[in-house]
Amino acid sequence: MAKDFKQSAIEYHESDPPGKLAVTPTKPLSTQRDLSLAYSPGVAFACDEIVADPAAAARLTARANLIGVITNGTAVLGLGNIGPLASKPVMEGKAVLFKKFAGIDVFDIEVDAKDPDRFVDAVAALEPTFGAINLEDIKAPECFEIEQKLRERMNIPVMHDDQHGTAIVVAAAILNGLKLVGKDIGSVRLACCGGGAAALACLNLLVSLGLRRENIFVSDRVGVVYEGRTEEMNPYLARYAQPTEFRKLAETLVGADIFLGLSAPRVVSADMVKTMAERPIIMALANPTPEIMPDEVKAVRPDAIIATGRSDFPNQVNNVLCFPFLFRGALDAGATEINETMKKACAMAIADLAQAEAHDIVLTAYGAESFHFGPDYIIPKPFDPRLITRLAPAVARAAMESGVATRPIADFAAYREKLVRFVFRSGLVMKPVFEAAKRAPKRVIFAEGDRVKVLQAAYQVLSEGIAQPILVGSRKFMEERLRDLALPMKPGVDFQVFDPTEDATVDDLAADYHRLTDRKGITRSDARVAARRQNTVIAAMLLKRGEADAMICGTTGRFDRHLKDISDIIGLRAGVKNFAALNALVLESGTFFVADTQVNYDPTAEEVAEAAVLSARQVARFGLTPKLAFLSHSNFGSGNTPSAKKMREALQLFWEREPGVEAEGEMHSDMALSEGVRRELFPYSKLEGEANVLIMPSLDAANIAYNAIKVLGSAISIGPILLGAAMPAHIVTPSASVRGLVNMTAVAVVGAGESREAK
């Protein structure tokens, strides 16, 4: 397995293009004018602005969102002094983490300079390029000297992440561990194994948070750090020299409340752990093999809280929990440094987040059903999308309060919303829908109400104030799963429950269902069974009877089965002849809608036109101006196949029904998405700019295109949105995420409001 993994890693890095980074233009460069704006002569005007006001570089260049990840390769991961060239894959990896987790651009720079002064001179000269510097993988004690000198010389944040990133996450974990065991940071005793950069930074931050220096005992490969020791000492380590008779690590552990290990594998034994105080906190962070394995600790101290640096055990201490968001907040506030106040604010924000309920993306990423604050969950997981929305504002505010922010943030609510949109790119297109839903929340039934992700969605729906959930399913299962998920809501109190095994109205519901469907092959016996076992039937009947305003189903089962139940019970809106489905795809380049992805296999021209009308109206609800393209293999009459003729006819019918909406066709998809290409071939097009609603000639075409774009474009999907129903009823797919369910709830609420107004 190790050999296979090694080969996979090599192939990953060497596949074309080699490495993990590329430079991508952020402005169009497709015309001669674009080039003249980007470079000569237009670029001179931007240069002049910066000459007049150097702060203008933040708005005219990428500097305010650009970090230098810089090393000399003297202490790379567990590889040691491998040199700057061999360290480049690690620096590229750090760069992609910045981009992935916080949207920060990076240039990785590997400097061939082991001499600290030479290295400092090289990095300091790069200040005009970057908004901040992340020093990486530099050995101690030179890293202390290098960071200090660069902070003195540079007017931008400089941080050695191996020190301070680790320290912030360790501090958060220890603060939460102490809260769980009921101990005060000012009275506990800590035994530390390791005297390197990360260990000393951890101790410094813990002291600033209230840990007493006289309660800290440090050991390294020489032994205990005591007053009078001369071997392998430096001023940074000497700060923790104690007047003690202890000379071995084992002696410092007797009665200690906390063990902090940033040293070497298996240097702590089970017998040593036995001697620690009650309810000890053990941070065994050596990688890949900790100072002591968690199962060895639990065997002798089941009361211990344990953290490691590994992802296969609970409580992984991982720098990625911190550094992207710490730099995000520092950059956004225009901080001139990362100071102690900012680091403490970041640690407190991490600690607070672990005490909140776990996010669905975290559960999906780790294949878990629940994470809640406790001995096995004292720090958040790296994939928690709320890290950026909690940590970056905390850091930015701390920068402002400590007087180092050159671009103070005036509106933190707007700032958080911007960060949320980064995490959930669907947030921008969904914003008007959510605002409309919050203004008038409605009752929304979730057919599969006892499923984990539906319960999580219901909690988010309640938290965001967009709807009043009604959950269909087993009350017992709901209560059990809510306890497992640690979600603070109660059935019958925070949301309504329809449990068909206990609700007294189920017989009336069965009778009503039979009256609706007795001429559709449903017998009285069938109706009784459906009213107790078929959740979509139950939800649709409750909606039909006015006991709710909208419904969502489809987290299990086939789309067509759910659609049949909705068709039988809810039916079509007045004037509409067929259902249709619309999906949104949110890409980096914009938001696009595809119809009809789920319902009509080979629609007629009339059915295509009707789906187009319904789609245009739905797109307008997102606050977007619909621009429709009727797609075909034919381009403006170039083909006369039945499909091409159908799309031409459908466009004519659409123009007749919606003359004020921009639409064009039949055309190729490249024509739809590129105005330049379209104008060259067809200069009299009635469509301006790029289309954002793609009307497909068949279900095959729509579904294939939608799924291909979703995967190839790494798109966020919203939908499918069911169009044409007499009441707001939507059928999601089993792969829908919790956020997808929340999005669809907002769509359903807005649809319910419009339906009520129409009535």
Side-chain angles (χ1 to χ4, degrees):
M1 288 180 66
K3 184 178 180 181
D4 290 343
F5 185 77
K6 176 182 177 181
Q7 185 58 35
S8 296
I10 296 297
E11 291 173 357
Y12 175 88
H13 284 82
E14 72 181 0
S15 61
D16 193 38
K20 299 185 285 281
L21 292 176
V23 177
T24 303
T26 60
K27 299 294 188 296
L29 293 167
S30 55
T31 67
Q32 182 60 44
R33 178 173 172 78
D34 290 341
L35 294 174
S36 66
L37 292 171
Y39 200 55
S40 182
V43 72
F45 298 108
C47 296
D48 289 340
E49 289 277 316
I50 297 170
V51 170
D53 177 14
R59 62 182 178 84
L60 295 172
T61 74
R63 183 175 186 259
N65 193 52
L66 183 63
I67 284 178
V69 172
I70 306 180
T71 189
N72 61 5
T74 53
V76 181
L77 294 177
L79 304 174
N81 185 0
I82 62 174
L85 182 60
S87 75
K88 189 171 180 63
V90 179
M91 300 308 111
E92 287 189 355
K94 190 70 177 281
V96 298
L97 292 179
F98 268 115
K99 188 67 173 179
K100 166 70 176 177
F101 288 100
I104 295 172
D105 293 318
V106 168
F107 290 160
D108 67 291
I109 298 178
E110 295 73 32
V111 180
D112 188 6
K114 291 183 180 179
D115 177 70
D117 288 331
R118 184 163 171 255
F119 183 87
V120 166
D121 287 341
V123 176
L126 297 172
E127 182 170 347
T129 301
F130 297 110
I133 300 294
N134 181 105
L135 298 173
E136 194 77 14
D137 292 348
I138 303 169
K139 73 182 181 73
E142 288 90 334
C143 61
F144 301 116
E145 178 185 347
I146 286 170
E147 184 186 52
Q148 182 177 335
K149 287 183 176 180
L150 285 172
R151 291 186 62 177
E152 291 170 356
R153 289 178 58 174
M154 302 180 81
N155 200 39
I156 58 175
V158 177
M159 189 181 89
H160 186 214
D161 182 49
D162 299 327
Q163 296 179 56
H164 305 293
T166 301
I168 289 167
V169 182
V170 164
I174 288 177
L175 288 173
N176 274 347
L178 291 173
K179 182 172 184 175
L180 286 170
V181 300
K183 297 181 182 181
D184 179 70
I185 193 170
S187 60
V188 295
R189 187 155 68 82
L190 182 147
C192 176
C193 182
L200 294 177
C202 290
L203 297 178
N204 291 340
L205 184 56
L206 288 168
V207 168
S208 73
L209 287 165
L211 183 64
R212 298 172 66 85
R213 191 167 61 86
E214 57 266 33
N215 289 347
I216 298 171
F217 291 84
V218 179
S219 303
D220 60 10
R221 61 184 178 180
V222 175
V224 174
V225 177
Y226 61 90
E227 286 185 357
R229 190 183 111 173
T230 58
E231 188 178 358
E232 293 192 21
M233 291 293 288
N234 60 63
Y236 309 101
L237 189 58
R239 182 185 182 202
Y240 293 99
Q242 295 282 24
T244 179
E245 297 299 319
F246 296 156
R247 293 297 181 267
K248 295 182 180 180
L249 172 64
E251 295 172 308
T252 68
L253 279 167
V254 178
D257 300 281
I258 303 169
F259 168 71
L260 173 60
L262 287 148
S263 55
R266 300 192 178 280
V267 296
V268 175
S269 68
D271 287 338
M272 293 162 67
V273 171
K274 284 182 184 178
T275 68
M276 294 182 70
E278 291 184 359
R279 304 184 306 282
I281 298 169
I282 297 174
M283 313 285 292
L285 307 180
N287 249 337
T289 305
E291 287 81 359
I292 183 169
M293 297 298 289
D295 56 335
E296 296 175 283
V297 175
K298 285 296 184 183
V300 296
R301 294 303 301 265
D303 60 335
I305 292 176
I306 311 161
T308 70
R310 293 170 51 145
S311 61
D312 53 345
F313 292 108
N315 300 322
Q316 183 194 16
V317 173
N318 190 328
N319 285 14
V320 80
L321 281 169
C322 165
F323 70 81
F325 319 113
L326 177 63
F327 275 96
R328 179 75 278 161
L331 287 172
D332 292 338
T336 56
E337 66 178 19
I338 291 175
N339 56 32
E340 206 70 8
T341 302
M342 295 160 72
K343 288 186 285 183
K344 287 196 288 186
C346 191
M348 296 298 293
I350 293 172
D352 289 344
L353 182 56
Q355 298 175 42
E357 73 285 350
H359 198 282
D360 71 288
I361 290 179
V362 178
L363 302 180
T364 300
Y366 291 90
E369 287 202 351
S370 68
F371 286 118
H372 51 87
F373 184 53
D376 289 337
Y377 190 68
I378 59 173
I379 44 176
K381 295 293 185 179
F383 282 98
D384 195 318
R386 296 166 298 179
L387 283 163
I388 191 170
T389 63
R390 303 284 185 91
L391 273 59
V395 171
R397 191 180 293 278
M400 293 162 58
E401 291 172 352
S402 59
V404 298
T406 62
R407 295 189 300 276
I409 294 170
D411 186 342
F412 271 90
Y415 178 52
R416 286 191 185 91
E417 187 175 325
K418 177 182 175 182
L419 296 173
V420 168
R421 288 202 300 268
F422 168 75
V423 180
F424 302 113
R425 284 176 291 161
S426 60
L428 186 60
V429 70
M430 287 298 298
K431 186 174 185 297
V433 180
F434 273 94
E435 288 180 350
K438 288 176 182 178
R439 285 195 297 270
K442 299 290 187 294
R443 301 165 299 168
V444 178
I445 300 177
F446 294 85
E448 299 90 16
D450 51 18
R451 288 179 62 80
V452 166
K453 63 182 174 183
V454 175
L455 290 166
Q456 292 172 318
Y459 178 70
Q460 290 191 29
V461 162
L462 283 168
S463 300
E464 298 190 31
I466 62 174
Q468 301 153 18
I470 303 170
L471 305 188
V472 177
S474 166
R475 183 187 297 269
K476 178 184 175 183
F477 287 165
M478 290 180 201
E479 290 172 344
E480 290 175 355
R481 286 164 183 170
L482 286 171
R483 281 195 298 272
D484 291 341
L485 293 165
L487 291 177
M489 62 178 188
K490 295 181 179 179
V493 177
D494 299 300
F495 60 90
Q496 294 182 49
V497 176
F498 188 96
D499 185 341
T501 65
E502 64 180 34
D503 198 290
T505 66
V506 71
D507 289 333
D508 292 338
L509 187 145
D512 289 346
Y513 176 54
H514 182 244
R515 277 191 291 272
L516 275 174
T517 59
D518 61 349
R519 293 182 181 273
K520 297 179 180 178
I522 303 296
T523 66
R524 185 175 281 107
S525 176
D526 293 336
R528 282 196 295 267
V529 171
R532 286 170 172 78
R533 298 182 184 175
Q534 292 177 225
N535 286 23
T536 301
V537 169
I538 296 168
M541 284 303 304
L542 293 174
L543 178 59
K544 181 77 172 179
R545 286 162 40 149
E547 296 177 33
D549 303 300
M551 69 169 280
I552 293 175
C553 61
T555 59
T556 62
R558 287 167 42 187
F559 187 95
D560 57 340
R561 296 294 299 272
H562 293 288
L563 182 60
K564 183 180 186 307
D565 290 336
I566 289 171
S567 178
D568 287 345
I569 298 168
I570 303 299
L572 290 161
R573 189 185 313 163
V576 175
K577 296 179 180 179
N578 290 282
F579 294 102
L582 179 72
N583 279 79
L585 290 164
V586 185
L587 299 123
E588 295 289 350
S589 55
T591 300
F592 300 89
F593 296 82
V594 182
D596 165 17
T597 53
Q598 296 286 347
V599 180
N600 298 292
Y601 175 67
D602 186 16
T604 65
E606 174 61 38
E607 289 169 342
V608 171
E610 183 176 67
V613 170
L614 295 172
S615 297
R617 293 173 182 173
Q618 181 62 52
V619 169
R621 295 187 187 106
F622 286 92
L624 302 173
T625 301
K627 295 173 177 284
L628 279 68
F630 287 69
L631 299 186
S632 172
H633 70 90
S634 172
N635 233 357
F636 301 110
S638 65
N640 281 304
T641 63
S643 174
K645 291 178 179 178
K646 175 175 72 175
M647 296 308 283
R648 283 200 291 272
E649 183 183 348
L651 176 63
Q652 293 295 328
L653 292 169
F654 179 83
W655 278 341
E656 292 170 9
R657 295 180 61 177
E658 297 287 341
V661 177
E662 287 187 50
E664 192 55 274
E666 86 286 9
M667 68 173 90
H668 293 174
S669 56
D670 60 342
M671 292 279 180
L673 300 174
S674 172
E675 184 175 30
V677 173
R678 186 170 64 253
R679 289 294 178 192
E680 184 175 341
L681 181 69
F682 197 71
Y684 305 109
S685 170
K686 295 182 180 180
L687 180 65
E688 298 288 338
E690 67 180 16
N692 57 12
V693 186
L694 307 180
I695 307 299
M696 299 290 184
S698 68
L699 187 147
D700 276 350
N703 202 277
I704 290 168
Y706 159 72
N707 282 298
I709 296 170
K710 182 172 69 171
V711 173
L712 295 175
S714 300
I716 301 295
S717 171
I718 302 170
I721 302 168
L722 187 64
L723 306 174
M727 304 176 77
H730 298 286
I731 308 166
V732 300
T733 59
S735 63
S737 66
V738 173
R739 192 67 197 180
L741 286 168
V742 174
N743 284 341
M744 286 308 302
T745 304
V747 170
V749 168
V750 173
E754 293 177 350
S755 177
R756 180 171 293 180
E757 289 173 10
K759 289 180 181 179

